[in-house]
Amino acid sequence: MLNDIERILISEEELDAKTSELASEISEDFKGEELIVIGILKGGVVFAADIIKKISIPMEIEFMAVSSYGKESETSGVVTLKKDIDTSIAGKNVIVVEDIVDSGYTMKYLTKLLLDRHAKSVKICTLLSKPSRRKVEIDLDYVGFEVPDEFVVGYGLDFDEKYRNLPFVGVLKREVYSK
Ligand code: IMP
Ligand code: MG
């Protein structure tokens, strides 16, 4: 598995420091408010698990699954809801926790869906952002790291469902995803 990694982009230590930083920002911003964190399966799960442990205010956790990617490393632009929550979010503050915002289609779709259900507010917390790849404009409220236009894996992010368990974020060797 490590042989397929070109280089480490974000180390375990950097991830740990960043999740602490974002969690304390969130804890401060939502003090005295009702908060639901929605982790996006599967990529956002590792990040969501780390961040919620560091949030110091009462909150609930839910999960949703969406897909915009097939097996290829390029987005189709068509987003489908694969797993929904079964609780009402009406009047509540929602933070969507995602692994990476690339074209922006996925987060655009989800934000609209959650606002249509009358959430009080919908914020996006993403570990990574690839601004150079954006196709639709989208406001990101909490961003871990901006990354260059390279295919990255680890810490929840996959290629063909693998590498999610790597404890760091690394650049995948081109030969792995272009074969
Ligand atoms: P978007 O709708 O194009 O913003 O797509 C976001 C989704 O694409 C993420 O949730 C990831 O599943 C996937 N994705 C985009 N770039 C990468 C990458 O570099 N590595 C792994 N998955 C990625
Ligand atoms: Mg994903």
Side-chain angles (χ1 to χ4, degrees):
M1 190 165 59
L2 285 174
N3 286 337
D4 297 340
I5 304 302
E6 177 87 45
R7 66 180 196 283
I8 294 179
L9 204 59
I10 308 163
S11 69
E12 283 188 71
E13 293 71 27
E14 289 172 294
L15 290 164
D16 185 50
K18 188 60 80 175
T19 49
S20 299
E21 195 185 301
L22 293 174
S24 60
E25 238 183 279
I26 290 169
S27 306
E28 192 57 42
D29 293 352
F30 291 91
K31 212 188 292 171
E33 296 273 334
E34 250 185 302
L35 178 63
I36 302 189
V37 170
I38 302 182
I40 304 305
L41 300 170
K42 301 171 195 167
V45 158
V46 179
F47 179 45
D50 277 353
I51 218 160
I52 65 163
K53 286 183 282 183
K54 295 170 174 177
I55 291 178
S56 58
I57 56 168
M59 53 147 288
E60 292 172 29
I61 177 101
E62 294 287 341
F63 293 97
M64 288 175 101
V66 280
S67 81
S68 70
Y69 269 26
K71 265 196 164 182
E72 295 77 40
S73 54
E74 286 295 317
T75 185
S76 58
V78 180
V79 181
T80 51
L81 187 60
K82 298 209 301 191
K83 183 196 182 295
D84 204 350
I85 47 173
D86 47 23
T87 50
S88 170
I89 54 158
K92 301 194 175 158
N93 298 293
V94 174
I95 299 182
V96 177
V97 176
E98 172 66 310
D99 53 359
I100 184 167
V101 177
D102 187 47
S103 68
Y105 288 129
T106 307
M107 283 305 102
K108 193 95 193 168
Y109 167 88
L110 262 186
T111 310
K112 183 180 182 306
L113 183 93
L114 297 168
L115 285 171
D116 285 349
R117 291 181 184 178
H118 310 291
K120 182 176 176 188
S121 68
V122 178
K123 305 279 184 206
I124 297 171
C125 174
T126 184
L127 174 70
L128 308 175
S129 172
K130 270 186 200 170
S132 62
R133 300 252 309 171
R134 209 73 86 237
K135 296 262 172 55
V136 282
E137 206 186 304
I138 178 121
D139 285 337
L140 303 178
D141 305 282
Y142 306 96
V143 180
F145 306 88
E146 288 198 348
V147 292
D149 186 9
E150 289 180 288
F151 201 82
V152 294
V153 294
Y155 197 68
L157 292 113
D158 74 307
F159 171 67
D160 204 8
E161 294 303 327
K162 294 185 191 72
Y163 311 102
R164 294 193 197 274
N165 54 321
L166 289 171
F168 54 81
V169 174
V171 175
L172 192 63
K173 284 183 182 165
R174 190 166 288 272
E175 68 220 47
V176 177
Y177 61 89
S178 57
K179 73 183 166 200

